[in-house]
């Protein structure tokens, strides 16, 4: 989705048109001073919670323990939510709507910043507390709403193509594919190998949830289309977008993507790849460390996502730390956010769990590039990734995308019909 600028929502008009009842519009730019930002003062010390999706890496409790040892009177309890983004969002919204103080620091998906900030479910943060100048620019942008900082970038995410380098080599293929048709041709060669018996060619995240929005947008962008244009207007009923969706729908139909992949989230695909069922898989960097300890260790590599006529583009993913407006002990929370999003913690998350850091320097450090040779590829993937729409009613936008993309993937609608219906649903939900 080519939404490269934050679309400043003209307050009342757009929100009313979008059918949203908000308590207020976000405050305008300018940086806070001291421990005050906007109207929030960060007071109170004591125990807090850190709320995030289930930790599949094992490293989050380790970093929290480090904090807890140093701050015995300000302990952090890790509250783990389900793995899928939509359920996390739902539970965080429920917590905010009941004004509960159960959640303190939220691990917010980059696509929720506008929604949470506009509803005043999270506090505006003092910018000088975080070393934003040392972070990748597009990552910092995901933490802002109407020019002000509402979250601390913690980890970024860019889509990568995982592939079985051992099998490609054996089949006489010299390197990873840059286009979808090369990928199919490579699979045809690999499938002839005896050890590839029963394998499928490609998978991504195609269940009806946020992961499908990501994969759909990547297919559209990688075919030269957009979901929303530079001004944030939906523009998805186009021949280019159709080529992108046709690739996915056609691949399910002809078996390039196995039928069961329409039930896959990130972890399902990872398990399939690790147990030797897939030649290619689109997934995030977190999988690199885990696959390195699996049956396919030493037999896979990563490359940029392929596209229609050349390398494709990734959706920009990641998570930022936000502070629930209804929380207590905000002075502790702010210190913990600084600690958890520091370059030191980002280094631990990278070394131990291959999470994409927000800090520019870590992508170029020789010892890290030796451990993770894909870091230069990942840096480019993040820098050129396309943000999903930055809109207050993101929930409506993503559910329309999920519904129409899923209908096309499962053959319930033609790509042309799905895109036509998506265009009108997006026009309605963005009030354009
Ligand atoms: C990853 C990304 C996040 C995205 C989600 C979709 O967690 O970091 O941005 O929304 O996957 O499943």
């Amino acid at each position: 989705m080519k939404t490269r600028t934050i679309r400043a929502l003209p307050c009342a008009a757009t929100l009313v048109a979008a059918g949203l009842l908000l308590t207020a519009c976000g405050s305008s730019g300018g940086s806070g001073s001291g421990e005050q930002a906007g109207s929030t003062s960060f007071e109170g010390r004591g125990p807090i919670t850190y709320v995030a999706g289930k930790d599949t890496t094992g490293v989050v409790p380790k970093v929290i323990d480090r904090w807890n040892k140093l701050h015995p009177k300000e302990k952090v309890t890790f509250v783990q939510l389900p793995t899928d983004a939509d359920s996390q969002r739902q539970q965080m919204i429920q917590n905010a709507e009941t004004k509960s103080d159960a959640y303190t620091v939220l691990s917010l998906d980059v696509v929720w910043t506008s929604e949470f900030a506009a509803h005043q479910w999270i506090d505006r943060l003092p910018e000088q507390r975080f070393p934003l100048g040392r972070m990748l620019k597009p990552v910092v942008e995901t933490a802002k709403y109407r020019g002000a900082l509402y979250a601390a970038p913690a980890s970024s995410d860019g889509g990568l193509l995982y592939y079985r380098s051992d099998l490609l080599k054996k089949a006489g293929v010299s390197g990873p594919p840059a286009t979808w048709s090369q990928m199919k041709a490579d699979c045809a060669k690999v499938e002839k190998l005896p050890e590839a018996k029963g394998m499928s060619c490609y998978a991504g995240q195609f269940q009806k949830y946020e992961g499908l929005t990501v994969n759909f947008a990547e297919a559209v962008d990688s075919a030269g289309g957009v979901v929303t244009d530079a001004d944030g207007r939906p523009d998805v009923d186009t021949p280019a977008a159709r080529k992108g969706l046709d690739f996915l729908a056609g691949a399910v139909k002809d078996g390039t993507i196995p039928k069961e992949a329409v039930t896959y989230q990130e972890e399902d695909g990872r398990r399939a790849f690790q147990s030797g069922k897939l030649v290619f898989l689109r997934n995030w960097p977190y999988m690199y460390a885990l696959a390195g300890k699996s049956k396919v260790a030493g037999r896979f590599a990563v490359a940029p996502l392929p596209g229609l006529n050349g390398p494709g583009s990734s959706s920009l993913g990641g998570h930022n730390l936000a502070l629930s407006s209804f929380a207590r002990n905000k002075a502790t929370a702010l210190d913990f956010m600084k600690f958890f999003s520091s370059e030191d913690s980002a280094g631990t998350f990278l070394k131990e769990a291959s999470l994409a850091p927000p800090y520019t320097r870590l992508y170029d450090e020789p010892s890290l590039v030796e451990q993770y040779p894909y870091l230069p590829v990942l840096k480019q993937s993040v820098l050129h990734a396309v943000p999903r729409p930055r809109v207050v009613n993101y929930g409506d936008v993503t559910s329309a995308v999920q519904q129409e993309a899923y209908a096309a993937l499962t053959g319930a609608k033609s790509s042309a019909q799905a895109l036509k219906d998506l265009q009108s649903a997006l026009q309605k939900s963005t009030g354009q």
Side-chain angles (χ1 to χ4, degrees), residues 30-314:
S31 56
S33 62
E35 295 311 272
Q36 184 99 22
S39 57
T40 310
S41 57
F42 300 91
E43 285 164 7
R45 296 205 166 266
I48 59 168
T49 58
Y50 169 61
V51 185
K54 191 170 154 25
D55 175 38
T56 46
T57 67
V59 72
V60 175
K62 273 198 207 166
V63 178
I64 292 180
D65 278 355
R66 213 181 277 166
W67 165 274
N68 284 346
K69 285 209 177 89
L70 293 169
H71 305 87
K73 291 193 180 139
E74 298 172 273
K75 281 208 163 138
V76 174
T77 305
F78 183 20
V79 177
Q80 298 195 53
L81 301 181
T83 38
D84 73 290
D86 303 60
S87 312
Q88 292 162 23
R89 175 175 164 271
Q90 221 44 59
Q91 293 198 23
M92 288 181 186
I93 291 179
Q94 252 167 35
N95 181 80
E97 281 176 338
T98 56
K99 299 189 167 32
S100 161
D101 63 5
Y103 295 174
T104 316
V105 176
L106 308 174
S107 171
L108 217 61
D109 195 309
V110 291
V111 281
W112 307 331
T113 314
S114 303
E115 181 181 30
F116 277 64
H119 285 83
Q120 297 189 328
W121 291 331
I122 53 175
D123 287 335
R124 189 173 147 200
L125 302 177
E127 289 196 17
Q128 70 279 6
R129 273 284 214 145
F130 303 97
L132 303 177
R134 291 198 270 126
M135 300 180 183
L136 299 172
K137 265 212 175 72
V139 176
V140 175
E141 283 308 308
T142 67
K144 291 190 170 179
Y145 172 65
R146 294 169 69 84
L149 189 73
Y150 278 86
S155 63
S156 186
D157 246 348
L160 297 167
L161 185 71
Y162 288 78
Y163 66 97
R164 288 290 301 275
S165 44
D166 58 336
L167 298 181
L168 255 59
K169 198 169 167 207
K170 230 178 176 174
V173 179
S174 58
T179 65
W180 295 324
S181 53
Q182 279 167 8
M183 182 166 79
K184 282 190 180 187
D186 293 349
C187 283
K189 290 185 190 152
V190 169
E191 274 159 18
K192 291 198 185 106
L193 300 171
E195 54 269 65
K197 200 166 175 268
M199 285 183 90
S200 297
C201 181
Y202 175 69
Q205 295 76 47
F206 303 129
Q207 197 189 100
K208 205 196 258 183
Y209 80 117
E210 188 60 32
L212 179 56
T213 301
V214 166
N215 281 255
F216 166 78
E218 284 172 351
V220 168
D221 292 331
S222 300
V226 296
V227 178
T228 50
D229 68 17
D231 296 322
R233 280 188 215 97
D235 190 18
V236 78
D237 188 12
T238 61
R242 190 162 150 198
K243 284 184 186 144
L245 186 54
D246 274 346
F247 158 67
L248 290 179
V252 174
K253 208 168 171 194
D254 71 15
T256 301
I257 294 175
K259 290 270 174 297
E260 63 265 27
V262 300
T263 67
Y264 279 8
Q265 295 189 3
E266 285 82 356
E267 282 293 272
D268 307 293
R270 176 171 76 83
R271 280 190 286 268
F273 186 84
Q274 289 182 181
S275 61
K277 288 191 189 148
L278 292 167
V279 183
F280 295 101
L281 172 69
R282 180 247 174 253
N283 210 339
W284 305 102
Y286 87 96
M287 179 174 134
Y288 195 90
L290 296 169
K293 294 176 209 144
S294 79
K295 233 175 76 181
V296 297
R299 298 197 273 146
F300 73 93
V302 295
L305 296 175
L308 179 67
N309 298 316
S313 47
S314 164

